Amino acid sequence: MPTIDPMVVMRSARALDDYGPEFRYGHYLVTGGLGKLIGGAAGVGGLVLAAQIGPLRRRLMKLNPAGQGPDEATRARSWFQVKVRARCGDSEVLCRVSGGDPGYDETAKMLSETLMGLALDEGYPMHTGVVTPVMALGDRLIDRLEAAGMLFERNA
């Protein structure tokens, strides 16, 4: 599942001693079975292919013009959940992060709480330059996101 996440996590791990010298990271996608996996891959592949062909790309762009996103009712029904498993020797920690609509509402919370933490919290940023959120705010960002309604559950 190619995303930017590994680059962000590994940048944090290289910059912060808390991760330790043997830190490794990987992620994967869980689907509802082989049929859904194949259907999803075919759908994404089809969209990528269609985006390469001028007339199909223009038609796709008309389906959802810029500035048109889901309405409030649709966003209210949307949600996300990420499960994290961390191991160190014989110890293991499980965590679940969840919230509402990830494409609009929760992304806005993440951005605004990060910016408010940088602007308003004393003692931050912890690092300067091109940094990841954990490098800039540490665990304070989790506190801010929980106060904004996102859930961070340990051993979930």
Side-chain angles (χ1 to χ4, degrees):
M1 190 179 96
T3 67
I4 195 171
D5 298 344
M7 291 179 276
V8 173
V9 171
M10 294 309 293
R11 168 74 174 105
S12 299
R14 285 190 302 273
L16 301 174
D17 293 335
D18 294 347
Y19 285 78
E22 296 181 33
F23 178 81
R24 293 176 309 186
Y25 173 83
H27 66 236
Y28 57 92
L29 174 70
V30 177
T31 65
L34 184 60
K36 287 186 179 183
L37 178 63
I38 292 170
V44 169
L47 281 173
V48 169
L49 179 63
Q52 306 307 309
I53 302 168
L56 293 177
R57 179 176 51 247
R58 286 187 288 280
R59 188 164 205 164
L60 285 172
M61 295 297 287
K62 288 180 182 177
L63 290 176
N64 199 8
Q68 300 296 313
D71 61 27
E72 189 173 341
T74 300
R75 289 193 326 269
R77 291 189 307 270
S78 300
W79 58 275
F80 81 97
Q81 175 177 277
V82 176
K83 293 183 179 181
V84 178
R85 181 180 76 182
R87 291 180 294 182
C88 182
D90 293 334
S91 299
E92 182 174 274
V93 174
L94 301 175
C95 179
R96 179 173 47 215
V97 181
S98 59
D101 175 63
Y104 291 86
D105 299 342
E106 299 305 306
T107 299
K109 283 181 191 177
M110 291 178 215
L111 288 170
S112 60
E113 292 300 333
T114 299
L115 292 172
M116 288 192 300
L118 289 170
L120 304 175
D121 294 352
E122 292 187 28
Y124 295 100
M126 297 172 14
H127 299 273
T128 58
V130 179
V131 298
T132 65
V134 72
M135 291 168 63
L137 296 172
D139 289 343
R140 179 69 184 122
L141 182 55
I142 293 173
D143 297 337
R144 284 186 151 281
L145 292 172
E146 285 182 323
M150 289 179 63
L151 296 175
F152 290 78
E153 302 168 274
R154 188 173 178 171
N155 295 321

